[in-house]
Amino acid sequence: MIRVLNVISALNNAGTEAVVMNYYRNMDREKVQFDFLVLNTEKGYYEDEILALGGNIYKIPSFTKQPLKCMRARKAFFKTHHYDIVEVHSPTALRYAYCKLAKKNGCQNVIFHIHSSSNRKGLLIKYARKQLKKYCDQTATCSQFSAISVLGKTADKIVYNAIEYNNYKYNDLLRRKIRMYYNIKNNIKVIGFVGRFSKVKNPIFLLEVLSEIIRLDDTILLMMKGFGELADDIRNKIYDLHLEKKVILCDEQFPTSELYNAFDVLVLPSLWEGLPLVGIEAQANGLRTLFSDVITKELNISGFATFVPLNSVQWQQAFLDSRNFERIPETFDFGQTEYNIQTAAQKRQNEYLEMAFEGSKK
């Protein structure tokens, strides 16, 4: 058995962690086992599950909060812990230090894994990219669009943001149950938003567009599920625009995997993204999707995603086009795509084993 150390910001119920855990659950853990070096000391959502699956969890202080303690702790960690493979998960090239420490302490296989795009530039980023080239054996990404923004070039491997397909299949019974719970009538067209309530996800823009279109189509409703720093701003905006009857802020009654069934379209008007997991999950459910045109076209898995420029008029037109509320034709089989976790995890497991074997010969 080989052990892969995943260097990761946190173990929260969030996108990067969800992807890593999807792969972890679906690998043969008698052949490949995951451990985690977490770059903060708070307890995470996935900790109990990781321990139950046989993984180890190590923690060091956050660099942003305690830089000196973080630097000392990470240096000490790599001197005393040695792994077949170290995989550093990061949205920015600035996390190169972990690759450097792993390589200098004898790791033969260092992977830098990019999960989102970045708009950071400057001399420090150029230096970080050079360090990654020097100390990484492989770069991986969810999308080449993200890789280019972080590395300045494409990555060596695409590791798809694969999901457990059966958890997201459309279920008409769940649709009726959820819409009954929220008192949504059959003739209502539901726009769904799932994501962090943050500036990058652009939820305030979405509310402003909604306030315009309901004047022309009173059968449209917005359901939003998320959390984040803009939660209070969103509630205030709903009140200011008199949208109390047109926006549902979803509680925790239903998991997101079930909530998709109540939607008629999923929207992501983001200012930037990597390859967002919710866009994949929604398509697995058979939903049409409206994405901002800054999101990579690699997300169009079904062939029925629409990319809309970030201006209010064009988003209003998209919402007023009834075709965008129709489900994806049943001829689309998500299970046959590269985003099916059973296929993707087996492929990645074989890549790990090959890397470890080749590394042992060095």
Side-chain angles (χ1 to χ4, degrees):
M1 180 181 71
I2 66 167
R3 299 193 81 92
V4 178
L5 178 71
N6 291 272
V7 181
I8 197 164
S9 299
L11 291 175
N12 298 327
N13 187 14
T16 297
E17 295 94 313
V19 171
V20 175
M21 291 302 295
N22 280 343
Y23 276 88
Y24 187 23
R25 295 183 192 107
N26 286 278
M27 287 189 182
D28 182 345
R29 289 181 295 281
E30 292 186 0
K31 294 180 178 179
V32 177
Q33 179 58 258
F34 278 9
D35 289 344
F36 294 81
L37 176 61
V38 186
L39 309 184
N40 71 65
T41 55
E42 297 176 2
K43 180 168 182 179
Y45 176 85
Y46 289 111
E47 285 195 24
D48 292 340
E49 182 180 2
I50 289 167
L51 295 174
L53 292 173
N56 297 312
I57 300 170
Y58 307 95
K59 297 182 180 182
I60 61 175
S62 164
F63 181 82
T64 55
K65 294 179 180 178
Q66 297 175 292
L68 293 178
K69 284 188 177 181
C70 174
M71 288 189 286
R72 286 195 293 267
R74 69 193 186 191
K75 187 175 182 180
F77 177 87
F78 283 102
K79 278 189 174 181
T80 56
H81 295 81
H82 303 284
Y83 280 86
D84 303 291
I85 297 171
V86 172
E87 187 160 357
V88 179
H89 303 272
S90 181
T92 168
L94 296 177
R95 203 167 282 175
Y96 71 86
Y98 295 91
C99 301
K100 183 176 180 179
L101 285 167
K103 182 57 74 174
K104 287 204 164 187
N105 283 281
C107 182
Q108 295 294 326
N109 302 286
V110 178
I111 304 169
F112 189 76
H113 192 152
I114 301 148
H115 290 266
S116 63
S117 58
S118 173
N119 60 357
R120 301 186 71 165
K121 296 183 173 72
L123 292 176
L124 189 56
I125 293 297
K126 288 182 179 180
Y127 174 78
R129 288 173 175 175
K130 288 180 180 179
Q131 294 296 296
L132 287 173
K133 184 176 181 180
K134 184 176 180 180
Y135 293 109
C136 284
D137 299 287
Q138 183 186 101
T139 52
T141 186
C142 59
S143 80
Q144 294 295 12
F145 174 83
S146 296
I148 292 168
S149 73
V150 172
L151 301 173
K153 61 178 183 178
T154 57
D156 301 319
K157 291 275 184 181
I158 291 183
V159 178
Y160 294 95
N161 284 357
I163 61 173
E164 180 59 64
Y165 171 43
N166 290 327
N167 292 344
Y168 297 92
K169 283 183 178 179
Y170 176 69
N171 185 313
D172 190 63
L173 183 63
L174 275 174
R175 177 182 175 84
R176 285 185 274 124
K177 179 180 178 180
I178 296 168
R179 289 172 73 111
M180 185 179 297
Y181 174 84
Y182 287 110
N183 196 28
I184 302 171
K185 295 179 180 177
N186 290 337
N187 68 317
I188 297 299
K189 299 194 288 284
V190 175
I191 298 167
F193 172 92
V194 176
R196 186 171 179 84
F197 291 161
S198 62
K199 182 179 178 181
V200 65
K201 299 294 185 179
N202 215 9
I204 301 298
F205 169 81
L206 180 57
L207 292 172
E208 290 170 345
V209 172
L210 179 68
S211 71
E212 295 296 327
I213 61 171
I214 59 173
R215 300 174 187 177
L216 300 171
D217 187 346
D218 192 46
T219 66
I220 287 179
L221 178 77
L222 173 63
M223 296 180 75
M224 305 180 77
K225 183 172 183 179
F227 62 91
E229 60 271 22
L230 291 186
D232 289 340
D233 293 340
I234 287 171
R235 290 187 180 90
N236 291 335
K237 194 71 173 179
I238 291 170
Y239 179 80
D240 291 342
L241 295 174
H242 309 292
L243 293 173
E244 295 91 337
K245 294 183 179 180
K246 288 296 178 182
V247 179
I248 295 174
L249 296 176
C250 299
D251 55 28
E252 295 302 316
Q253 179 69 20
F254 301 99
T256 303
S257 58
E258 295 183 359
L259 201 61
Y260 290 121
N261 294 286
F263 300 165
D264 295 298
V265 62
L266 179 94
V267 301
L268 285 176
S270 307
L271 299 178
W272 67 85
E273 288 276 5
L275 195 133
L277 197 60
V278 295
I280 298 166
E281 294 169 350
Q283 289 175 83
N285 185 264
L287 286 171
R288 300 215 183 207
T289 45
L290 297 176
F291 302 131
S292 63
D293 66 349
V294 301
I295 297 177
T296 175
K297 305 305 182 290
E298 294 166 275
L299 190 53
N300 188 8
I301 302 164
S302 66
F304 291 92
T306 300
F307 296 84
V308 187
L310 277 171
N311 70 72
S312 180
V313 172
Q314 287 184 265
W315 275 83
Q316 290 174 43
Q317 291 172 346
F319 287 144
L320 293 172
D321 186 342
S322 61
R323 291 171 298 180
N324 289 327
F325 292 87
E326 298 172 358
R327 296 193 66 79
I328 294 171
E330 292 183 2
T331 51
F332 168 64
D333 184 357
F334 186 92
Q336 297 300 313
T337 72
E338 293 161 313
Y339 290 87
N340 184 334
I341 190 59
Q342 281 78 30
T343 303
Q346 182 64 50
K347 179 182 177 182
R348 192 59 176 161
Q349 175 181 298
N350 291 339
E351 290 170 354
Y352 284 140
L353 293 170
E354 185 178 341
M355 285 187 77
F357 177 73
E358 293 298 325
S360 68
K361 296 194 298 184
K362 293 180 182 178

